Amino acid sequence: MPLLQVQNLTTYYHTLRGPVHAVENVSFTMDKSEALGLAGESGCGKTTIALSLLKILPWNGRIINGSIFFKDKDITKMTEDQLRKEIRWKGISLIFQGAMNALNPVYRVEEQIVEAIRTHEPKIKKREAKERIAKLFEMVGIEPSRAKNYPHEFSGGMRQRAMIAMALACNPSLLIADEPGTALDVIVQAQVLKLISELKSKLNLSIMIITHDLSIISETCDKMAVMYAGKIMELGDVVSLFKKPLHPYTQGLISAFPNIKAKKQEMVSIPGSPPNLLLPPPGCRFHLRCGFAMDVCKKKEPAIIEVSKGHHVACHLVSR
Amino acid sequence: MEEIVIKAEDLKKWFPIKTSFLATLLSRREIYVRAVDGISLEIKKGEILGLAGESGSGKTTTGRLLMRLIEPTSGKIFFKNTEITHLEESDMKPLRRQMQIVFQDPYESLNPRMTVGDIIAEPLKVLGAAKDEKEIEKRVYEVLEDAELIPPQEFIFRYPHELSGGQRQRVATARAFVLNPEFVVADEPVSMLDVSIRAEILKLMLSLVDKYKTAFLYITHDLALSRHICDKIAIMYLGKIMEQGTNEQIVFEPLHPYTQALIAAVPIPDPSSKRVDVIIKGEIPSPINPPPGCRFHTRCPSYIGDICRKSEPPLIDMGNGHLVACHLYGSKAKS
């Protein structure tokens, strides 16, 4: 039984101009201590998936359809109270994008983590919570005495580490990191990614990394899902996806990524920009930018099929 | 030999920090942020120099100094054999036509109340580079076509909010190149854009550099991208250039321990290649009190003793224009 099983998840944002089809019919599974990378351009629905898993969508966001089974229980059917007691922080926790701004500047870091722990585990005393924080800080590589500092006294990398410590405060089994590398310098980014991989093996964590940076996924994840305009285009293990990408979008995305060790080469890009999700294009959502688009792509939406074990693709070129 | 367009000699920019009145009374010493602390570089016609480094290393300040957008504390700037370090603004104005800049964020660098046509025509009007309206219009059309905003008549009356991020950056690029400048600074021009369209914008810039034979300073923190677009790369750390060379030299034979760490830290989009594990610890120190001696010694994995702490290594030539500032190579220099 997988740890997380998402089936046909569909999430819309309701706006005055109609629903935004942010995530549509997305299905994937995650096993224990597995790392999944969710890749795609901005606005393709990566973060919406994370928010749906925790049911912390903004007021106009709604899960329209689908189920999210986490350890045999359907998250979509849970009440707020259940979610707080069983899922958020204790089952699944999220490191938000932009660690720089995710901490409250007027509270000490320690107080913020104590609050998080005591909200989700009311029985824990303040003292115990503080002891736990000291251990967590040691684990993520910050001097435990620094917990008494305010966020502005931390550097960017330390804030990111503190966010990771905070996310791990209630022993979750799944950690979601939303753009853990952006806004950090390469060296600090490498340090943070190394920390995440170490924690993964040490704590037997499952990790979901949301990023537009394919190189981060290739270095830290076992599986990768490529999203475009609210849909998963291709899903499979990292090695086969990078070696033999089948979807034209995945191919484009991989070749758009410069490899520092490769020969100096002409850079490749995917012309055009992602579609408006208020009115997603009919047929395959990628057909407007696809170099291989055929007539059928404009009319019929390709189903996602399994081409080899664990490797799923949604493209008419493959299903032909 | 190709003509040198822009050249800096021992350029420094120290920003004073405001201290309280009492603190000023008690100690006469002023405190400075040493953003740029003595760098020398030159860019030839048609050459692309990448200036790379972590945030806070002084890359952007260098770019602005070279454009004379801020006044240097000391040092000299030459633009085609003319020293422009202390030129009056009125003498500077004719030169402004020949130096342009593309900023990082195309969402903030374009005036939302002006149409694309007006935005691109503005430099022509302000600097009086065109005879009449007709010529302005002709030039705007030309450069829109260069920037692949085709057909131009469709874009000329649009406002920035009607454009995508990539198109906006094309407009910013078109605006920079409309005057046929000899020197262009691009400050992280693609870091706000999606990966899938970065290459397009860079290709556009490269083709314009090639067409107009511009000297191009590309400021970035992304070494993987610089590798594919620059001719030369200079690595900055805390206001100093640590290493400089052709992109092949920097990527495949990095000499400075800092460059080596930077290159090793760049993630590689190929799951079968494993990263070499030389990650340096900590983060960039504050430029207010940079470490004495070699600025990198506090984080350096190949620290060789007192010399690193006490004396600052000079930038020495290791052959073929490969410059490095590190005591490890002190005796091996080719003078």
Side-chain angles (χ1 to χ4, degrees), chain A residues 1-53:
Chain A
M1 183 73 200
L3 176 76
L4 179 76
Q5 192 167 17
V6 177
Q7 270 166 350
N8 303 327
L9 178 69
T10 304
T11 305
Y12 289 175
Y13 291 109
H14 293 280
T15 65
L16 288 175
R17 288 194 281 167
V20 174
H21 303 229
V23 171
E24 202 145 19
N25 259 328
V26 164
S27 308
F28 61 91
T29 59
M30 278 182 77
D31 288 324
K32 206 164 164 35
S33 64
E34 188 175 61
L36 170 76
L38 213 52
E41 289 167 272
S42 44
C44 73
K46 304 177 302 251
T47 302
T48 303
I49 289 187
L51 300 180
S52 304
L53 292 182

Side-chain angles (χ1 to χ4, degrees), chain A residues 241-254:
Chain A
L241 232 63
F242 272 90
K243 284 266 139 71
K244 245 175 88 188
L246 291 171
H247 199 287
Y249 182 61
T250 318
Q251 292 165 357
L253 216 51
I254 290 175

Side-chain angles (χ1 to χ4, degrees), chain A residues 41-42 155 185 191 218-219 262, chain B residues 55 194 196 268 275 280 283:
Chain A
E41 289 167 272
S42 44
S155 65
D185 283 313
Q191 290 166 351
S218 96
E219 293 218 343
Chain B
S55 45
D194 258 314
S196 61
I268 294 167
R275 174 190 298 205
I280 52 177
E283 284 165 63

Side-chain angles (χ1 to χ4, degrees), chain B residues 104-159:
Chain B
Q104 175 173 15
D105 189 349
Y107 290 84
E108 291 190 348
S109 67
L110 302 178
N111 187 338
R113 297 187 165 207
M114 285 167 80
T115 62
V116 168
D118 288 337
I119 289 172
I120 297 174
E122 198 182 19
L124 292 168
K125 289 178 182 160
V126 171
L127 296 168
K131 282 197 298 288
D132 48 27
E133 285 293 322
K134 259 222 169 88
E135 196 184 326
I136 291 179
E137 197 182 307
K138 187 170 151 258
R139 186 73 195 116
V140 169
Y141 271 77
E142 246 172 51
V143 82
L144 277 172
E145 266 171 28
D146 280 344
E148 287 157 35
L149 291 164
I150 300 167
Q153 58 272 20
E154 216 176 80
F155 283 93
I156 210 155
F157 295 114
R158 288 214 209 161
Y159 285 92

Side-chain angles (χ1 to χ4, degrees), chain A residues 143-161:
Chain A
E143 184 64 34
S145 62
R146 296 292 298 268
K148 296 234 175 353
N149 285 154
Y150 287 95
H152 76 266
E153 296 172 274
F154 280 16
S155 65
M158 285 172 73
R159 266 178 262 179
Q160 184 68 281
R161 282 168 195 269

